[in-house]
Amino acid sequence: MRIVFLGPPGAGKGTQAALLSERFSTPSIATGDILRRHVAQGTPLGLQVGPIMDRGELVSDGLTIELISDRLAEPDARLGFILDGYPRTVNQAIALEELLAEIDAKLDRVIKFAVRTAQIVERLAGRRVCPACKTVYHFVTHPPIVEGVCDNDGAALLLREDDREEAIVRRLEVYGADTRPLYEFYLSRGLLIEIDAIGTTSEVTARLDAALEQ
Ligand code: ADP
Ligand code: AMP
């Protein structure tokens, strides 16, 4: 299946993408993760995008389209994928359609994760990530066994720079202006299914499964 997860930052897309990726044996592809890897490695691209990401702004369409085009060309993504965090603009969505058309393929589903702003702020402010294996925790809802330490590899968990309050506010503004128009875009193509993303992770997983079976 070729699936896109849409929804504001903190809606739980990455959490569900990791679970679904395992169940479906399909790669979960997050442009945010690809970009953060560049930042961590200090590549020229990373140096360019790091400050933009920290402020909660979007990286340019040209750059992200190139990244996703390269990633979707890799063998593991040929037959299916879960896209998390791409597309974020109508231009990116059009570019994705064009990329898929080249291999005579189409998206199967676009899942919109619906949450309220209060939940978003709570989830983002409590999010902690492992810098080594990228596992996502929340210090209240998904705490590690030992506080502040990754269960998998013992690395010290980090607060993302863009999960600080100022950047959260900016990311929500950017989401409303640039990404929300994608609801209309995918609705008009008959691909959009909205799920309630409030509730426990397993409740959301059950709703996601039902949406994918539709
Ligand atoms: P996104 O990828 O949409 O930005 P994440 O999957 O990283 O969101 O989730 C944001 C935060 O909320 C993380 O700290 C995660 O552990 C937590 N979280 C995800 N899903 C739920 C849920 N259903 N209930 C409570 N907390 C959740
Ligand atoms: P995420 O991990 O999805 O929350 O993304 C973190 C940050 O990476 C975003 O705030 C943007 O700065 C950048 N980013 C990730 N994906 C995209 C995209 N598709 N288009 C533009 N910027 C992106």
Side-chain angles (χ1 to χ4, degrees):
M1 269 211 183
R2 297 185 176 88
I3 305 168
V4 164
F5 281 0
L6 267 187
K13 303 180 299 296
T15 301
Q16 295 297 333
L19 296 168
L20 190 64
S21 165
E22 219 163 87
R23 284 207 312 285
F24 279 18
S25 300
T26 291
S28 149
I29 299 173
T31 35
D33 284 344
I34 299 173
L35 291 165
R36 275 186 293 278
R37 221 164 19 244
H38 278 278
V39 173
Q41 290 168 355
T43 66
L45 172 65
L47 293 175
Q48 183 189 337
V49 300
I52 300 172
M53 294 171 72
D54 287 351
R55 287 197 305 273
E57 307 281 346
L58 291 187
V59 169
S60 74
D61 283 341
L63 255 174
T64 46
I65 290 168
E66 202 180 316
L67 283 181
I68 212 73
S69 159
D70 290 347
R71 181 64 187 88
L72 293 187
E74 287 178 33
D76 67 330
R78 283 283 160 84
L79 296 178
F81 50 72
I82 305 157
L83 285 186
D84 160 19
Y86 184 99
R88 263 173 152 101
T89 65
V90 171
N91 279 339
Q92 292 180 17
I94 293 169
L96 176 62
E97 276 186 346
E98 290 170 355
L99 278 174
L100 292 176
E102 281 171 22
I103 55 162
D104 217 7
K106 281 193 161 88
L107 289 175
D108 296 297
R109 298 270 192 295
V110 176
I111 307 291
K112 173 187 165 191
F113 285 62
V115 273
R116 282 189 287 275
T117 308
Q119 242 90 29
I120 294 172
V121 175
E122 231 174 77
R123 287 186 185 179
L124 291 181
R127 174 159 66 183
R128 297 293 181 272
V129 290
C130 172
C133 72
K134 314 298 172 204
T135 300
V136 174
Y137 297 87
H138 186 283
F139 72 65
V140 178
T141 59
H142 295 104
I145 297 164
V146 178
E147 195 185 322
V149 174
C150 180
D151 295 345
N152 302 328
D153 49 37
L157 301 181
L158 300 177
L159 172 70
R160 271 170 54 172
E161 199 53 46
D162 61 353
D163 281 345
R164 295 176 199 280
E165 200 181 326
E166 261 180 39
I168 292 178
V169 171
R170 184 65 194 132
R171 286 160 75 201
L172 292 177
E173 285 170 0
V174 169
Y175 186 82
D178 295 333
T179 309
R180 204 181 294 274
L182 289 178
Y183 299 164
E184 222 16 79
F185 181 91
Y186 284 124
L187 205 57
S188 71
R189 281 156 173 75
L191 290 172
L192 193 78
I193 302 179
E194 176 171 327
I195 61 166
D196 178 4
I198 298 172
T200 64
T201 297
S202 46
E203 284 167 348
V204 177
T205 299
R207 291 177 203 139
L208 175 60
D209 283 349
L212 293 175
E213 274 165 23
Q214 268 179 46

